[in-house]
C-alpha cells in the first residue's frame, strides 16, 4: 500500500472577462447611449477539507489545476458570466506552502476548513460605466484582470495528541495495535510500517487521546535517508512524543544510543522538536534475561533521563505488562499540556499581491536626460491598456486620472517644467501645467 502525503502542483486562477463597448440602437433613437456590459469575474482556486479523505493521492497524476475564465460583457448591458471556481478537496491537516519560498500559505486543520488561495481576475467594466455629462459617448472599456499562477507544495501533517517514534522494529506497531483501534501491519523486519497510522486510545471513563505511529526512523533521516523526510513532518503536529525503545538487547543495539540517535534526528529536522515533551517506553522487558553484575537497561534509562524530566516506563507491548501504567502516565502528561492543536501560522498570502494595484506610483527624473521624467505604476499600465488616447475625450479622461491620483502633483514636486517630457510604458507626452490650477493660485 502506498501513502501520498505530499504533492507539488501548479494553480491557475481564471482571467476576468473584458468589458464591452457598444451603443444602444433602437428605432426612432438616433444616438443611443453606451450599453456595453461588464465582464464576469474569473474563477478562484479554493481548497476544502474533505472528511474521510486520508491521503493526497488525488494529486499524484495531475500537476496543473485551472479555474474558469470570466465571460466578456455584452451589448444591452449584459454582464458576462463568472468563471467557475476550481475547488480542490484535501484531507484535514494539509498544509499549503509556496513552492519557491517554502512559506506557509494556509493550514487546513481545526476550524480552518476552507481557504481561497488564488482569487480570479476581476471582470472589466463596460463602457456604460464611463458615461458622464461631458463624455456621453465613451469608446473604451476596461479589460478583465489577468489570470494568476502559483506553484504550491501540499504536505499532509497528521493531527494527533501523541506521536510514536523509535527505531524500526522497536515495537511501535505492536504497542499501537494493543492500545487503540488501529490495525497496523506487524512483522519482524525493518520498516514494518510504511504508512503512518492513527489510533484512538480509550481509558475506561477517562478522556481518550489520539496516537500516531510514525514509521521507524534510521540514522540520517533528517537528511532524507530512508523514509525520513516522508514521515518526520507528521511529528510536528503532536503535543507529546512517546519514544518506544527496544531494551531487550537481542538485536545488539544499545537503548541509550538509540534514544540519543533518534533525538538527534528530531532536532536536525526541526530545532523546536527538542523542546517537545517526551516519554520513554522501555519496551520488550519480557525478553530481558538478567545477568549477574549487569545493570537492568530500563533502570539505566531511568537514571539518565528522569533527572532531565523525561519519565521512563518499562513495558512489554507483547504481553501488556506495564502498558496500563504507561497510558495513564501519557494521559496525565497531556492534561498538563496546552490543549490547543499545533497549527502552522500563515507566512505568505498570495492574494496580498493584488494590493499591488494600490502601490504608490514612482516618479523619477531620467539619468540620461534631465528634461525627461519616468512615471510607472501598475494601475497606470492597465489604464493605458484600455484608454483610447487617440481621441480627445480619451486623453482628457487619462489626464483626469493622473490629476485625481496625485501624479501631476508628484511631477511638479520632482521639478518638472513646461515642455519637459513624461514617459509612461513606451509612450511620451509633453508636459504643460494645468492653467486652471495656476489661475486659482
Amino acid at each position: 500500500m502506498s501513502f501520498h502525503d505530499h504533492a507539488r502542483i501548479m494553480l491557475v486562477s481564471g482571467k476576468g472577462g473584458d468589458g464591452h463597448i457598444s451603443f444602444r440602437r433602437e428605432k426612432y433613437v438616433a444616438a443611443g447611449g453606451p450599453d456595453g456590459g461588464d465582464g464576469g469575474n474569473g474563477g478562484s482556486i479554493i481548497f476544502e477539507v474533505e472528511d474521510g479523505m486520508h491521503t493526497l493521492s488525488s494529486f499524484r497524476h495531475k500537476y496543473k489545476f485551472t479555474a474558469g475564465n470570466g465571460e466578456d460583457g455584452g451589448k444591452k448591458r449584459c454582464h458576462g458570466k463568472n468563471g467557475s471556481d476550481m475547488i480542490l478537496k484535501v484531507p484535514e491537516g494539509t498544509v499549503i506552502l509556496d513552492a519557491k519560498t517554502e512559506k506557509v500559505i494556509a493550514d487546513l486543520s481545526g476550524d480552518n476548513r476552507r481557504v481561497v488561495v488564488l482569487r480570479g481576475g476581476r471582470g472589466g467594466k463596460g463602457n456604460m460605466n464611463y458615461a458622464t455629462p461631458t463624455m456621453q459617448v465613451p469608446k473604451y472599456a476596461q479589460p478583465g484582470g489577468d489570470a494568476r499562477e502559483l506553484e504550491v507544495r501540499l504536505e499532509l501533517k497528521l493531527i494527533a495528541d501523541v506521536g510514536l517514534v523509535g527505531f524500526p522494529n522497536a515495537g511501535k506497531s505492536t504497542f499501537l495495535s494493543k492500545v487503540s483501534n488501529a490495525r497496523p501491519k506487524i512483522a519482524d523486519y525493518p520498516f514494518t510500517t510504511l504508512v503512518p497510522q492513527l489510533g484512538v486510545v480509550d481509558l475506561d471513563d477517562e478522556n481518550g487521546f489520539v496516537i500516531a505511529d510514525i514509521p521507524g526512523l534510521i540514522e540520517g533521516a533528517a537528511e532524507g535517508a530512508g523514509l525520513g523526510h516522508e514521515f518526520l513532518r507528521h511529528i510536528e503536529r503532536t503535543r507529546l512524543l512517546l519514544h518506544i525503545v527496544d531494551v531487550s538487547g537481542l538485536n545488539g543495539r544499545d537503548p541509550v544510543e538509540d534514544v540519543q540517535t533518534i533525538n538527534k534526528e528530531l532536532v536536525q529536522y526541526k530545532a523546536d522538536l527538542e523542546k517537545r515533551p517526551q516519554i520513554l517506553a522501555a519496551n520488550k522487558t519480557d525478553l530481558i534475561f538478567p545477568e549477574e553484575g549487569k545493570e537492568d537497561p530500563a533502570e539505566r534509562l531511568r537514571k539518565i533521563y528522569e533527572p532531565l524530566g523525561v519519565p521512563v516506563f518499562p513495558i512489554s507491548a507483547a504481553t501488556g505488562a506495564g502498558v496500563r501504567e504507561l497510558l495513564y502516565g501519557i494521559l496525565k502528561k497531556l492534561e498538563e499540556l496546552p490543549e490547543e492543536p499545533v497549527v502552522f501560522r500563515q507566512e505568505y498570502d498570495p492574494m496580498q499581491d493584488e494590493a499591488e494595484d494600490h502601490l504608490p506610483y514612482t516618479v523619477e527624473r531620467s539619468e540620461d536626460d534631465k528634461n525627461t521624467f519616468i512615471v510607472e505604476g501598475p494601475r497606470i499600465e492597465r489604464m493605458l491598456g484600455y484608454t483610447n488616447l487617440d481621441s480627445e475625450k480619451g486623453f482628457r479622461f487619462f489626464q483626469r486620472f493622473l490629476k485625481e491620483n496625485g501624479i501631476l502633483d508628484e511631477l511638479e514636486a520632482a521639478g518638472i517644467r513646461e515642455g519637459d517630457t513624461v514617459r509612461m510604458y513606451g509612450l511620451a507626452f509633453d508636459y504643460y501645467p494645468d492653467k486652471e490650477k495656476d489661475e486659482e493660485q
Side-chain angles (χ1 to χ4, degrees):
M1 176 183 177
S2 58
F3 179 78
H4 303 284
D5 62 353
H6 60 95
R8 192 181 188 101
I9 58 175
M10 176 64 75
L11 309 176
V12 184
S13 65
K15 179 189 178 301
D18 295 337
H20 189 71
I21 301 174
S22 61
F23 298 90
R24 193 168 64 250
R25 293 291 180 263
E26 299 177 18
K27 197 173 183 179
Y28 307 118
V29 178
D35 70 349
D38 299 341
N41 295 325
S44 300
I45 304 291
I46 301 171
F47 284 84
E48 284 186 353
V49 171
E50 175 80 357
D51 292 330
M53 190 174 180
H54 303 295
T55 75
L56 295 171
S57 58
S58 58
F59 302 97
R60 183 182 180 188
H61 300 296
K62 186 175 180 181
Y63 171 69
K64 193 171 186 178
F65 295 85
T66 305
N69 293 331
E71 290 184 353
D72 295 342
K75 58 180 63 177
K76 297 183 179 180
R77 297 177 175 262
C78 286
H79 194 294
K81 184 179 178 182
N82 291 336
S84 57
D85 294 331
M86 171 61 70
I87 300 178
L88 303 177
K89 303 289 188 178
V90 295
E92 184 177 5
T94 299
V95 179
I96 306 168
L97 305 103
D98 177 64
K100 292 182 179 179
T101 65
E102 293 294 314
K103 291 183 176 180
V104 174
I105 296 173
D107 181 357
L108 288 165
S109 62
D111 295 331
N112 190 22
R113 300 181 63 83
R114 188 177 192 272
V115 63
V116 180
V117 171
L118 276 187
R119 185 176 289 121
R122 48 104 186 97
K125 294 184 180 299
N127 70 331
M128 67 178 183
N129 296 279
Y130 298 107
T132 67
T134 58
M135 190 188 304
Q136 299 182 8
V137 191
K139 295 182 179 180
Y140 45 82
Q142 187 181 33
D146 294 333
R148 297 187 56 216
E149 292 188 357
L150 178 68
E151 189 178 30
V152 300
R153 280 203 316 107
L154 307 180
E155 284 192 357
L156 176 58
K157 300 177 188 283
L158 296 181
I159 300 174
D161 298 302
V162 181
L164 290 179
V165 297
F167 267 85
N169 204 24
K172 301 192 312 305
S173 295
T174 300
F175 173 80
L176 187 65
S177 69
K178 292 292 181 68
V179 304
S180 75
N181 59 356
R183 293 293 175 264
K185 294 180 180 179
I186 301 171
D188 188 21
Y189 53 84
F191 291 113
T192 300
T193 305
L194 297 181
V195 179
Q197 301 283 336
L198 279 179
V200 178
V201 178
D202 292 317
L203 293 176
D204 303 327
D205 296 330
E206 301 283 349
N207 295 326
F209 53 85
V210 179
I211 193 167
D213 179 10
I214 310 302
L217 303 179
I218 61 173
E219 192 165 1
E223 283 76 40
L227 299 177
H229 268 161
E230 300 295 314
F231 303 117
L232 273 168
R233 62 175 60 92
H234 297 299
I235 299 174
E236 298 178 59
R237 291 281 193 196
T238 57
R239 297 160 57 203
L240 174 67
L241 298 182
L242 176 59
H243 192 152
I244 306 288
V245 57
D246 181 355
V247 295
S248 69
L250 296 181
N251 292 323
R253 307 194 62 86
D254 179 84
V256 175
E257 290 182 2
D258 283 357
V259 174
Q260 292 172 344
T261 299
I262 294 299
N263 284 339
K264 178 183 176 183
E265 294 302 322
L266 297 178
V267 172
Q268 287 183 347
Y269 177 71
K270 186 154 287 190
D272 64 352
L273 288 177
E274 183 180 20
K275 301 176 182 177
R276 197 68 50 88
Q278 200 174 128
I279 289 177
L280 285 178
N283 191 28
K284 302 188 181 181
T285 54
D286 57 310
L287 299 179
I288 295 176
F289 302 100
E291 297 181 18
E292 187 175 349
K294 191 172 182 180
E295 186 178 18
D296 181 285
E299 286 301 317
R300 184 171 164 228
L301 286 172
R302 269 184 170 155
K303 289 180 180 179
I304 295 174
Y305 287 100
E306 289 195 340
L308 301 177
V310 180
V312 177
F313 289 83
I315 69 165
S316 170
T319 67
V323 171
R324 182 179 177 83
E325 291 78 6
L326 171 60
L327 294 179
Y328 278 96
I330 293 172
L331 185 62
K332 181 181 178 182
K333 189 67 175 177
L334 288 174
E335 290 173 347
E336 298 172 356
L337 299 175
E339 293 185 5
E340 295 83 8
V342 178
V343 177
F344 298 93
R345 63 179 181 83
Q346 186 181 50
E347 299 172 324
Y348 168 57
D349 182 1
M351 291 194 295
Q352 273 195 346
D353 292 347
E354 297 172 9
E356 289 182 359
D357 288 356
H358 310 290
L359 290 176
Y361 307 107
T362 59
V363 177
E364 298 178 351
R365 188 188 292 265
S366 172
E367 295 181 359
D368 300 328
D369 183 354
K370 297 303 181 183
N371 296 322
T372 297
F373 293 78
I374 301 171
V375 179
E376 292 181 341
R379 288 187 62 199
I380 288 181
E381 186 176 17
R382 277 196 286 276
M383 180 69 76
L384 287 171
Y386 63 77
T387 303
N388 180 12
L389 298 179
D390 293 332
S391 72
E392 181 182 353
K393 289 183 178 180
F395 192 77
R396 278 167 41 203
F397 173 81
F398 186 62
Q399 277 187 313
R400 188 165 66 251
F401 167 82
L402 297 178
K403 180 179 179 180
E404 291 175 352
N405 286 276
I407 305 303
L408 298 183
D409 291 338
E410 289 190 34
L411 284 168
E412 291 179 5
I416 197 168
R417 297 171 179 265
E418 183 173 348
D420 285 349
T421 301
V422 179
R423 293 190 178 277
M424 301 180 185
Y425 297 98
L427 298 176
F429 310 91
D430 292 332
Y431 174 77
Y432 293 97
D434 188 340
K435 301 299 184 182
E436 294 180 4
K437 178 180 178 181
D438 292 342
E439 291 174 2
E440 290 175 1
Q441 294 177 342

